[in-house]
């Protein structure tokens, strides 16, 4: 990997964002109808490689059920409004009406209400009762406190997600979450992240996680780069973590850990390029925040936006373009990659000559800056 001299005292690797690479067609093409985009993690199979981000603006119990029926997986945020209030509909409507910087202050106030353990069980049971795979998210800081309520309620997939999650968190104030011990004691598959480097991913894989999230989440709605200066372009991050997956398979005697690209994918082309770089599935929020069913009513924000001390996200307005079904499966009435995401993925794979996702991860890519 090319090292670039930033100054006499510092060098850095050249890294690439998804919009800086392009997918190269091969000598063979296929019919899109003959392409499979299904993926499986542990015992759970999904017809779409889409995991919807645990964001209140996108995932409610109702939208989680609908996404499940459409073939994907939606993750409910157990630190969001749905576990703090019996019915947050009026608060969601209020957030959609706020202006400018007032949105951040009001989000901090709304999310200051305590998490209620009985609502955790109620929300999980609501989604499970619809017969779809149930996935929920907690941050590493709250996993120990609430994981028993999650498991008792019968969750299928447990997501431990933060801006950056490591297997070796050091704290002088409290006993950190021992991921390896925690995951070992659970009877459900755990997806953990985010991370953005080969080494961090390899350590997370060694904890026994079924999947690793690549990226810092949030995408269009987070300001982590501005606030913390932390940023790793997604094409490079996914490729590095995919390399860790390969090496961990050798190290573990064949255990496969799924790589889920998390954040920074706003269009169908971004999703295709993330999988081409090595992702097994993608975690997206903003594309589905445009759905008419989305709780945010055309606005989008993540958990980073309501941090009580240092917000690293903001409320963003996207408007609406169609239903969840139209955004995922089409038909599309626009040419900007915001609708029929899965139809576009199938067509990309067919154009490149690949029949399933694992094959497509081997497609050739080139550095192709936007506009070239």
């Amino acid at each position: 990997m090319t090292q670039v001299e930033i100054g006499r005292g510092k060098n850095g690797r050249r890294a690439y964002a998804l919009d800086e690479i392009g997918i190269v067609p091969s000598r063979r093409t296929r019919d899109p109808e003959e392409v499979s985009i299904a993926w499986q993690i542990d015992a759970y199979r999904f017809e779409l490689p889409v995991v919807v981000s645990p964001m209140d603006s996108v995932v409610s119990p109702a939208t989680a059920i609908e996404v499940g029926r459409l073939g994907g997986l939606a993750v409910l945020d157990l630190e969001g409004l749905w576990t703090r209030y019996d019915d947050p509909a009026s608060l969601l409507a209020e957030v959609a009406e706020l202006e400018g910087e007032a949105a951040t202050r009001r989000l901090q106030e709304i999310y200051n209400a305590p998490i209620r353990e009985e609502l955790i069980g109620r929300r999980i049971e609501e989604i499970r009762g619809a017969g779809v795979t149930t996935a929920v998210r907690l941050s590493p800081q709250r996993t120990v406190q609430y994981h028993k309520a999650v498991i008792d309620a019968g969750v299928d997939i447990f997501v431990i997600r933060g801006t950056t999650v490591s297997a070796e968190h050091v704290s002088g104030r409290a006993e950190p979450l021992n991921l390896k011990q925690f995951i070992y004691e659970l009877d459900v598959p755990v997806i953990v992240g985010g991370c953005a480097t080969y080494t961090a991913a390899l350590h997370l894989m060694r904890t026994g996680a079924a999947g690793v999230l690549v990226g810092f989440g949030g995408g269009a709605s987070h300001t982590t780069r501005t606030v913390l200066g932390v940023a790793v372009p997604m094409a490079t991050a996914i490729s590095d973590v995919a390399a860790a997956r390969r090496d961990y398979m050798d190290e573990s005697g064949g255990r496969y850990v799924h790589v889920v690209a998390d954040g920074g994918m706003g269009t169908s082309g971004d999703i295709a390029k993330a999988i081409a770089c090595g992702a097994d599935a993608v975690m997206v929020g903003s594309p589905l925040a445009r759905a008419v069913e989305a709780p945010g009513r055309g606005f989008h924000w993540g958990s980073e936006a309501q941090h009580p001390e240092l917000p690293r996200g903001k409320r963003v307005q996207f408007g609406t373009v169609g239903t969840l079904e139209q955004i995922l499966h089409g038909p599309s009435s626009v040419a900007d990659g915001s609708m029929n995401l899965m139809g576009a993925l199938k067509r990309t794979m067919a154009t490149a000559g690949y029949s399933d996702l694992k094959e497509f991860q081997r497609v050739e890519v080139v550095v192709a800056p936007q506009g070239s």
Side-chain angles (χ1 to χ4, degrees), residues 200-225:
L202 194 58
H203 280 279
L204 288 178
M205 291 173 185
R206 288 168 178 162
T207 66
V212 170
L213 298 172
V214 185
F216 303 119
S221 65
H222 83 64
T223 57
T224 301
R225 181 171 187 158

Side-chain angles (χ1 to χ4, degrees), residues 43-62:
Y44 302 99
R45 176 184 168 89
F46 305 96
E47 295 307 312
L48 313 179
V50 171
V51 183
V52 185
S53 298
M55 297 177 168
D56 282 341
S57 55
V58 185
V59 181
S60 66

Side-chain angles (χ1 to χ4, degrees), residues 56 77-88 91 105-120 142 145-146 306-308:
D56 282 341
D77 185 7
L78 293 185
E79 298 174 29
L81 298 179
W82 297 95
T83 56
R84 297 174 191 264
Y85 300 92
D86 288 303
D87 184 3
L91 293 171
R105 291 193 296 272
R106 183 60 179 141
L107 284 172
Q108 289 174 315
E109 293 170 357
I110 291 171
Y111 283 89
N112 194 43
I115 296 170
R116 293 159 52 189
E117 199 162 301
E118 75 274 11
L119 285 178
I120 290 177
R142 287 197 166 107
Q145 183 178 359
Y146 294 115
Q306 45 86 7
H307 193 281

